[in-house]
Amino acid sequence: MNSQKLKVQQPTAPTRPGTVVEFVGVVKEFSGMRALDGFNLSLHAGECVALLGPSGSGKTTALRVLAGLESTDAGSITIDGIDVSALATSKRDMGMVFQSYSLFPHLSAGENVEFGLRMRKIKPAERRRRAAASLAMVGLDDHFDRFAHQLSGGQQQRVALARALVTEPRVLLLDEPLSALDAKVRVQLRDEIRRIQTELGITTLFVTHDQDEALAIADRVAVMRAGNIEQVGTPEELYSRPATPFIADFVGLSNRIDGLVRSAWAEVYGTSLALIDPSTPDGPVTVSIRPEDIEFAAEGLAATVVASSFLGSLRRTTVRLGDGTILFLQHGVRVHPRAGESVYVIFTGAPVSTEPVGPASVAQQQY
Amino acid sequence: MTGLTANGVAHAPSRTVRTIILGLIGVIFAVPIVAMIEFTLRAGLVGGYNVDRWVALFQSGFTGVYRPVLVALGNSVALAVGTVLIVLLLLVPTMLLVHIRFPRLRRVLEFTCILPITIPAIVLVVGLAPVYAIVARMLGSGVWTLAFAYGITVLPFAYRAIQSNLDGVDVKTLTEAARTLGAGWGRVLLWVLVPNLRRGILAGAFIVVAVVLGEFTIASLLNRVNLQTALVVVSKVDPYTAVILSLLALAFAFLLLLVIGRLGAPRTRTSRRRTNVKGQA
Amino acid sequence: MYVLLFLAVPTLIAIGTGFFDNTGAFTLVTVAALGDPVVLTTFFNSFWLSALTAVVGAVVGAAVCYALLGARPDGPLRTTIDSLSGVLAQFGGVMLAFAFVATIGIQGMVTLYLRDTFGLDIFENGVWLYSTTGLILPYIYFQVPLMIITFMPALQALKPQWAEANATLGGSTASYWFRIAFPVLAPSFIGSLLLLFANAFSSYATAAALVSQGSQIVPLQIRAALTSETLLGRENLAGALALGMIVVMAVVMLGYSALQSRAARWQQ
């Protein structure tokens, strides 16, 4: 087997580190609908940024605009400081993995991987060597001659990844590459993509609607909404300090409770909570509180347990307050409330995000 | 879409290219139809055009010379109804039964139903001739007996129309759901399955009608009279009328198929919406 | 189920009659009639007529499919063309013959126009509309629509992702068509071509309505054999001819289904 030898030659050092990508004020309209509305984002060298958002938020459009598969209506996209807005896709030097299986069905896995090299007029011998190395990188070195229909969904996406990376592109674009896969394969491949991305140090844009995926894979996550970025930050920042209830709701679970903002504090059921954004004006608001920021206590708000479910490492319990409001809490598995039991809950006091009560909050319920 | 073409990636043609291709081929294909219309409007040997023949045909109320055509049309319609009945009463229950109870037989059924495509009507006639000699002895030589033969020739068309609907509906689960709710087989069929398969069954019925109305080979060689054989007979006596009737028949078939297309439309709607969201098609 | 099998009997009879004489004894004499020069000529005629119209129909039909690619599948353009194709491909038959008599018959519109305007007599060397040559145009007229019906789904199944993957990998439009689209479409195209061949080969109505004298192609010869028992002085010739047709059709359709299954595998 020559695959042994090939594995040795497999490139582990960053092949072309340091590509910087910058979107500045990018606008893209589809028949009147603004898919991108003055979109700004920078990708640092070797960084993996996840674009997270509900469908229709413009995340896929942002990626396709960078790939050159869609033109822009305004704004600029630069790669290493050079504007590529007018450059054809084939000249942009990007690797892309698509949501649905995009392997060419008449070519074997190896020939698929070789395709980009063939386009670059690379000699057959080297083509074959590099394709084999790339397949080895995704753990499929013995599948060179298989056709797409002989591969599982996960394997197909691995080949697609090898195909995208074999040309050593400046930027790797991943358009929901895991969404068509089974839950287990999804997690496996997710971790593998992260490993390869880190090893190669390739600047990567990863589009997904799955928050777990985004938080797990990315150095930074940008949450999109209505053609724009709502918040960008590390996964930890996004989770613990969501700028808006939309983020709080989209990244992780949140209780949404009516409250009141008064002199930079949010008042909920008689408890004053710190605000993430202290400049929030006074008035009635909807407050987002994480389920782990509510705890059982000896005294506090009286509540009745509605249901409790075991989630492996933790337990989630739903309670009803005296006024009928439903809250859910997350806590250790050793506490095991029974349905119907009377309990007391308190807010731990972690900073919360709020939004004014009004039509806007109704609109967000849709997400 | 626009972005794609701008970067030369799209595989769809530009509007101009499409118009040129469709326009060119469309015009070429329109010529014979236009020629038919022109032919029916000719005013005798002196030249010039008028609509006399059309008026004459409709005013005569299909009496006299045209009477055979009317009879033939009646025959064809009766045959169409008969064939549709055969399809509804035999094919639909068989397909459902195979689908729900005997999924292993599905390939056999599919093969049987698609087989008639491979067997040219003209070949079928050779085999049908002796069969019909017997049929005629038992059931008389009525035109309606042809419906048995047509039942075979339409099998592939009807099968495909119904099967595509069947594939889109989870018949097994529906049946099981209805059964657990206490419905007997008869109710399952009439209240649950048929309403869900209405579109496929209707489309199948329409295509059967279209095929039967256009059938010539079998009727002609078994010496039965239907619309098409009558048209040939009339064309020998009065070619103008034959052409007028052909135009009408073609127009009718076109409308029938348009309706079938419309019936199938709701199925494609969801996929269209999905591609629109992605901004590509 | 049971009744379906009963309905398949005629086919068996058709094949069977080729092997038996009218006393019911097994014989190969009638099958040997397939070697008769006259019969061979008609098979040859049927072959080239079917092949020619299939190739022309496939190429023109594929061009139409390509032109329709951008159109919405349930838009008015597509539904109209689909329905028209259905009418012409499956319903035309006899009426197509009339259409072409009205177009390029002796008194046809185009015939008269060419004669009066350009002094061009298309029948200078005899009236060819009622011979095998005359069948070419009417046959193409139903072959193209059939191609549209059968080939459109294949063309539609070309994934946009393939074009996009090609572009992101540095390929040009030409590399997309020649390295991806054509190879992927090849099985469907050749399959459709075979189907068109089979369609023309087995078509009877148009020819029967157009050609009332003689039997230049196989279906017409079957007609002759059925209506006059004495043709070539052999019994059951129709059965033998039918057998010949079935053999040709079986070969063609086997090829078709093999190609179809390959295409289906690729289009998952």
Side-chain angles (χ1 to χ4, degrees):
Chain A
M1 283 297 281
N2 56 358
S3 61
Q4 281 297 332
K5 208 165 63 191
L6 289 168
K7 258 187 187 146
V8 182
Q9 297 171 345
Q10 174 188 340
T12 45
T15 46
R16 203 189 301 188
T19 300
V20 176
V21 176
E22 199 139 14
F23 293 83
V24 181
V26 175
V27 174
K28 174 69 189 172
E29 286 193 7
F30 288 115
S31 52
M33 280 268 297
R34 284 217 157 180
L36 289 179
D37 191 7
F39 179 81
N40 297 305
L41 177 69
S42 348
L43 278 71
H44 309 317
E47 174 187 50
C48 177
V49 172
L51 274 182
L52 176 66
S55 66
S57 60
K59 54 190 190 315
T60 294
T61 309
L63 177 131
R64 292 173 60 84
V65 161
L66 175 55
L69 296 169
E70 308 282 359
S71 61
T72 54
D73 294 331
S76 73
I77 299 171
T78 58
I79 298 179
D80 281 342
I82 298 161
D83 192 327
V84 296
S85 306
L87 205 60
T89 301
S90 53
K91 305 270 183 284
R92 289 199 189 187
D93 193 15
M94 311 236 164
M96 180 159 171
V97 179
F98 296 82
Q99 174 177 9
S100 61
Y101 309 128
S102 63
L103 294 187
F104 305 132
H106 60 297
L107 300 178
S108 70
E111 287 166 334
N112 261 286
V113 178
E114 281 184 38
F115 190 89
L117 301 172
R118 191 187 283 266
M119 292 298 113
R120 285 166 177 72
K121 309 232 171 355
I122 287 168
K123 298 246 157 37
E126 191 191 345
R127 228 159 53 197
R128 207 182 150 79
R129 184 184 60 76
R130 282 172 65 179
S134 196
L135 275 176
M137 182 175 64
V138 296
L140 290 177
D141 28 351
D142 49 350
H143 289 62
F144 195 96
D145 294 321
R146 299 278 184 90
F147 286 88
H149 65 267
Q150 296 165 323
L151 299 170
S152 70
Q155 289 172 330
Q156 286 189 45
Q157 289 302 65
R158 280 165 198 264
V159 175
L161 184 65
R163 182 176 73 176
L165 287 172
V166 74
T167 56
E168 298 174 9
R170 294 187 290 181
V171 181
L172 178 62
L173 305 174
L174 305 167
D175 183 6
E176 307 213 14
L178 308 172
S179 61
L181 305 177
D182 296 338
K184 205 163 181 181
V185 182
R186 199 183 306 171
V187 173
Q188 226 173 44
L189 192 51
R190 174 180 93 188
D191 296 343
E192 206 161 320
I193 290 178
R194 179 58 171 161
R195 171 183 68 80
I196 293 170
Q197 189 270 331
T198 318
E199 266 176 30
L200 297 181
I202 182 171
T203 309
T204 300
L205 188 60
F206 181 95
V207 163
T208 181
H209 62 263
D210 184 320
Q211 46 147 324
D212 294 337
E213 227 166 83
L215 298 180
I217 215 167
D219 297 309
R220 285 191 302 146
V221 177
V223 183
M224 282 195 75
R225 180 189 186 185
N228 237 316
I229 289 179
E230 186 108 342
Q231 185 179 5
V232 56
T234 63
E236 294 81 2
E237 276 168 10
L238 233 53
Y239 189 83
S240 56
R241 300 184 71 82
T244 61
F246 172 77
I247 306 279
D249 221 32
F250 203 78
V251 180
L253 286 163
S254 272
N255 288 290
R256 295 167 68 86
I257 316 171
D258 291 339
L260 195 66
V261 171
R262 193 181 295 162
S263 26
W265 286 86
E267 287 182 13
V268 184
Y269 291 106
T271 312
S272 287
L273 299 170
L275 289 167
I276 291 174
D277 176 11
S279 65
T280 314
D282 292 0
V285 289
T286 303
V287 179
S288 293
I289 301 179
R290 295 280 181 208
E292 61 269 30
D293 293 338
I294 307 178
E295 285 178 349
F296 293 114
E299 54 183 14
L301 284 170
T304 314
V305 174
V306 177
S308 181
S309 39
F310 175 68
L311 300 176
S313 56
L314 49 85
R315 180 170 275 284
R316 185 174 300 151
T317 301
T318 312
V319 301
R320 186 188 289 118
L321 299 184
D323 63 354
T325 306
I326 299 281
L327 294 180
F328 49 98
L329 314 76
Q330 237 155 257
H331 50 84
V333 287
R334 268 164 294 180
V335 184
H336 187 180
R338 309 274 161 194
E341 201 176 320
S342 289
V343 292
Y344 293 96
V345 299
I346 56 163
F347 302 108
T348 56
V352 293
S353 61
T354 64
E355 72 185 314
V357 177
S361 68
V362 175
Q364 275 152 27
Q365 293 291 1
Q366 291 169 359
Y367 294 118
Chain B
M1 196 74 222
T2 48
L4 284 176
T5 33
N7 289 301
V9 185
H11 56 239
S14 69
R15 190 167 283 273
T16 334
V17 174
R18 183 200 304 173
T19 316
I20 291 173
I21 296 179
L22 290 185
L24 196 68
I25 296 173
V27 166
I28 294 174
F29 270 72
V31 167
I33 302 293
V34 173
M36 283 173 95
I37 299 171
E38 190 258 7
F39 187 69
T40 63
L41 296 178
R42 283 184 198 172
L45 295 169
V46 271
Y49 297 104
N50 59 41
V51 291
D52 284 359
R53 292 178 211 286
W54 288 77
V55 175
L57 178 67
F58 285 107
Q59 276 181 348
S60 69
F62 290 96
T63 51
V65 210
Y66 311 124
R67 182 132 184 83
V69 177
L70 198 62
V71 173
L73 184 63
N75 283 349
S76 274
V77 170
L79 277 174
V81 172
T83 314
V84 167
L85 280 180
I86 289 182
V87 167
L88 287 188
L89 296 180
L90 284 180
L91 184 62
V92 174
T94 309
M95 284 179 71
L96 283 175
L97 208 61
V98 167
H99 200 85
I100 301 166
R101 299 288 293 278
F102 310 106
R104 276 200 216 136
L105 289 177
R106 190 175 151 173
R107 290 198 68 94
V108 180
L109 181 68
E110 185 168 352
F111 179 76
T112 317
C113 288
I114 300 299
L115 196 65
I117 278 205
T118 11
I119 300 161
I122 183 87
V123 168
L124 208 56
V125 165
V126 177
L128 279 171
V131 172
Y132 266 89
I134 304 166
V135 170
R137 222 172 295 142
M138 291 182 341
L139 301 168
S141 56
V143 188
W144 62 272
T145 50
L146 270 187
F148 292 124
Y150 290 172
I152 309 176
T153 53
V154 301
L155 220 45
F157 303 102
Y159 176 83
R160 275 200 202 145
I162 299 170
Q163 187 63 44
S164 74
N165 196 172
L166 210 53
D167 287 337
V169 177
D170 191 350
V171 171
K172 211 170 156 61
T173 312
L174 279 180
T175 310
E176 283 164 1
R179 299 272 294 156
T180 57
L181 292 171
W185 280 110
R187 287 192 181 191
V188 169
L189 192 70
L190 285 180
W191 288 9
V192 179
L193 296 184
V194 170
N196 273 297
L197 298 173
R198 196 180 46 211
R199 204 178 292 133
I201 293 175
L202 262 181
F206 279 143
I207 194 119
V208 166
V209 171
V211 170
V212 171
L213 289 188
E215 208 288 324
F216 171 75
T217 311
I218 298 177
S220 140
L221 289 174
L222 292 179
N223 293 317
R224 303 296 202 281
V225 177
N226 74 359
L227 179 63
Q228 301 295 324
T229 58
L231 278 179
V232 173
V233 174
V234 171
S235 77
K236 302 235 161 88
V237 191
D238 180 357
Y240 297 102
T241 307
V243 172
I244 291 180
L245 291 169
S246 298
L247 279 171
L248 291 176
L250 285 172
F252 176 71
F254 172 63
L255 287 178
L256 213 54
L257 291 182
L258 256 191
V259 173
I260 297 178
R262 283 267 163 272
L263 282 173
R267 269 203 306 274
T268 52
R269 197 166 290 154
T270 43
S271 64
R272 187 187 86 212
R273 195 181 299 141
R274 200 173 303 139
T275 49
N276 267 8
V277 167
K278 297 242 101 184
Q280 65 205 23
Chain C
M1 267 322 274
Y2 339 108
V3 189
L4 286 178
L5 288 174
F6 167 71
L7 290 176
V9 165
T11 318
L12 298 176
I13 295 181
I15 301 172
T17 49
F19 287 108
F20 298 97
D21 61 22
N22 51 349
T23 58
F26 183 80
T27 172
L28 285 174
V29 176
T30 44
V31 177
L34 289 175
D36 187 284
V38 179
V39 175
L40 282 181
T41 312
T42 48
F43 264 96
F44 176 74
N45 280 341
S46 268
F47 253 101
W48 74 254
L49 175 67
S50 306
L52 178 69
T53 59
V55 169
V56 175
V59 171
V60 177
V64 175
C65 291
Y66 167 70
L68 285 175
L69 252 189
R72 282 230 310 264
D74 53 353
L77 181 67
R78 274 292 303 278
T79 42
T80 308
I81 292 188
D82 284 352
S83 306
L84 272 179
S85 305
V87 171
L88 295 178
Q90 288 155 2
F91 190 69
V94 172
M95 291 165 287
L96 281 189
F98 295 166
F100 276 86
V101 171
T103 312
I104 49 171
I106 299 168
Q107 290 297 317
M109 184 178 82
V110 173
T111 317
L112 295 182
Y113 177 77
L114 288 177
R115 194 186 64 197
D116 298 345
T117 318
F118 301 105
L120 193 71
D121 185 2
I122 55 171
F123 293 130
E124 214 167 10
N125 302 318
V127 181
W128 44 260
L129 179 61
Y130 306 105
S131 67
T132 323
T133 329
L135 290 177
I136 296 174
L137 279 177
Y139 272 37
I140 288 175
Y141 205 72
F142 64 67
Q143 294 280 54
V144 171
L146 185 66
M147 183 66 181
I148 297 175
I149 295 173
T150 54
F151 191 57
M152 196 67 217
L155 205 54
Q156 198 104 55
L158 279 182
K159 291 189 190 170
Q161 285 88 341
W162 292 336
E164 294 174 4
N166 167 64
T168 57
L169 292 168
S172 60
T173 309
S175 77
Y176 169 68
W177 282 108
F178 287 103
R179 294 201 180 276
I180 299 165
F182 288 157
V184 169
L185 288 175
S188 304
F189 183 82
I190 298 170
S192 299
L193 190 72
L194 285 180
L195 194 73
L196 259 57
F197 178 88
N199 183 47
F201 197 78
S202 63
S203 169
Y204 168 75
T206 308
L210 210 50
V211 185
S212 48
Q213 297 290 310
S215 39
Q216 295 86 344
I217 58 172
V218 182
L220 292 184
Q221 198 159 50
I222 294 184
R223 167 178 74 177
L226 277 179
T227 43
S228 84
E229 289 286 326
T230 53
L231 186 94
L232 293 174
R234 287 197 181 87
E235 310 283 346
N236 293 335
L237 179 68
L241 287 168
L243 176 71
M245 274 191 95
I246 286 189
V247 170
V248 173
M249 291 293 285
V251 170
V252 171
M253 294 308 283
L254 274 179
Y256 170 72
S257 70
L259 286 163
Q260 275 305 96
S261 66
R262 158 163 278 209
R265 215 170 52 193
W266 281 1
Q267 280 163 12
Q268 282 162 358

